[in-house]
Amino acid sequence: MQETCFIIAASSSVLALSAAGITPDIVIATDGGNWALKHIYPFFRDSCGGMFAVNLCAALPSQCKNIPQLLINDGSFWQSIILHELSLPSVIIPQKGTVTAAAVELAFILSGDNIYMAGMDLSIKDIRTHVRPYGFDSIFLNKANRLTPFYSESFTRSSLIQKGGSMDIYASWFKTQEALWPKRLYSICGNGIFKEGIPSGKSSADKKDSYFKAVSINKDSNNFRRRGVSALLKAMKNPEYAHSIKNELKSLLFSGQDKITDCDIENEIKKIVFVNPKEQNFDK
């Protein structure tokens, strides 16, 4: 019998998987930065299928409109309100700072089989922070010149990551989390955190298809955006939720800025639907 496995891939690994002729069953994307799109484009260049698992903050290219998506709710008030209003199925996976943690928890949700991790060593090999080819390489190559060559840019980036200690923090968190997760998580890259193992004839994951919804909402996306924004603005006027929602949205929409007013938040939210939010009346 042919061995099969169900592959959940972080978006940053898509380019490397594509180069190896591998199409993941699910690509998980949670990064809201525009640069994150560089990780996802290879999926559409070479893919012959697959799905996406995304939260409401993820930056996605327009090609995603016809791809089935599993929505991830990080448990925040604002996301829960929108998803409830739109009656969209989702799974709750709190943010952990790294998409790897979300991918592992999603694997436990979708499968009752053993989970095998590959490519997650939580370390930096010399100046390499990720497997090659890597989506951000093009950024450094485009910036490279005689005075700041590609290798210098790569060295600077890896040095900053090492000094920041994020890998050590993630490794420590995963080590603590191991005792809480089911005893069916294995590593095939020998990272010293989880027990090592190799897939051995396990059947494909028990995909819970009821979680997935083909993105037909894009056919009437303006209506869905308007309903979501209206529900959020209404909740902001509810004393029971207002304080929590405003604090969440301040850090999300105005990171590092002080003296943000309720009006600032409302106008920023309305931009999701309208170019000139001041001219719109959501109470109608």
Side-chain angles (χ1 to χ4, degrees):
M1 183 179 70
Q2 183 179 6
E3 295 184 0
T4 60
C5 59
F6 187 78
I7 302 174
I8 300 177
S11 59
S12 58
S13 70
V14 169
L15 186 59
L17 291 174
S18 176
I22 300 173
T23 299
D25 296 281
I26 294 180
V27 173
I28 181 169
T30 58
D31 196 329
N34 287 331
W35 55 85
L37 298 175
K38 289 186 173 294
H39 293 317
I40 300 177
Y41 287 138
F43 179 87
F44 297 99
R45 256 199 321 265
D46 307 309
S47 174
C48 58
M51 310 173 184
F52 272 80
V54 301
N55 61 18
L56 297 187
C57 296
L60 299 174
S62 60
Q63 294 96 320
C64 284
K65 67 180 181 179
N66 295 319
I67 301 294
Q69 294 177 13
L70 167 58
L71 297 177
I72 297 175
N73 181 353
D74 66 9
S76 60
F77 275 101
W78 76 270
Q79 288 195 29
S80 299
I81 286 170
I82 291 177
L83 292 172
H84 180 268
E85 168 65 23
L86 300 180
S87 299
L88 294 175
S90 64
V91 291
I92 296 181
I93 302 178
Q95 290 187 9
K96 299 294 193 309
T98 170
V99 69
T100 303
V104 172
E105 294 201 0
L106 178 61
F108 280 129
I109 291 172
L110 296 179
S111 174
D113 284 340
N114 288 338
I115 308 300
Y116 298 91
M117 295 185 300
M120 191 201 78
D121 56 11
L122 299 176
S123 64
I124 297 176
K125 305 299 184 184
D126 193 14
I127 63 173
R128 296 180 62 177
T129 59
H130 292 76
V131 68
R132 294 296 189 270
Y134 179 52
F136 286 0
D137 284 346
S138 60
I139 298 177
F140 298 129
L141 287 170
N142 290 335
K143 291 172 57 179
N145 55 49
R146 183 170 60 85
L147 299 178
T148 56
F150 173 78
Y151 285 105
S152 294
E153 288 292 311
S154 299
F155 176 82
T156 299
R157 175 178 169 81
S158 64
S159 296
L160 290 174
I161 293 177
Q162 287 178 313
K163 289 178 181 179
S166 58
M167 293 299 180
D168 293 334
I169 293 173
Y170 295 152
S172 176
W173 181 85
F174 272 102
K175 189 65 177 177
T176 302
Q177 188 70 14
E178 183 186 14
L180 304 177
W181 275 331
K183 304 300 182 182
R184 51 190 177 90
L185 181 63
Y186 297 86
S187 170
I188 60 175
C189 58
N191 58 21
I193 299 176
F194 301 99
K195 51 186 176 292
E196 293 187 45
I198 300 295
S200 55
K202 281 289 182 182
S203 60
S204 58
D206 302 321
K207 295 174 285 184
K208 295 178 173 59
D209 293 329
S210 60
Y211 279 122
F212 293 90
K213 195 176 188 71
V215 237
S216 57
I217 60 173
N218 285 280
K219 295 178 180 178
D220 194 13
S221 57
N222 287 334
N223 178 50
F224 269 77
R225 285 198 298 268
R226 186 184 182 96
R227 284 174 55 196
V229 167
S230 296
L232 196 55
L233 293 175
K234 183 178 179 180
M236 286 177 61
K237 301 183 184 302
N238 186 329
E240 186 176 355
Y241 309 119
H243 180 72
S244 296
I245 293 175
K246 290 172 184 177
N247 283 340
E248 289 175 352
L249 294 176
K250 280 181 182 179
S251 59
L252 179 66
L253 301 174
F254 302 94
S255 178
Q257 299 184 41
D258 298 323
K259 299 180 180 179
I260 304 302
T261 66
D262 292 353
C263 185
D264 292 332
I265 298 174
E266 290 182 9
N267 285 335
E268 196 66 24
I269 293 172
K270 291 176 183 178
K271 287 180 183 178
I272 298 172
V273 183
F274 299 107
V275 176
N276 188 355
K278 294 181 179 179
E279 295 179 359
Q280 308 304 324
N281 182 358
F282 279 80
D283 296 329
K284 293 182 179 179

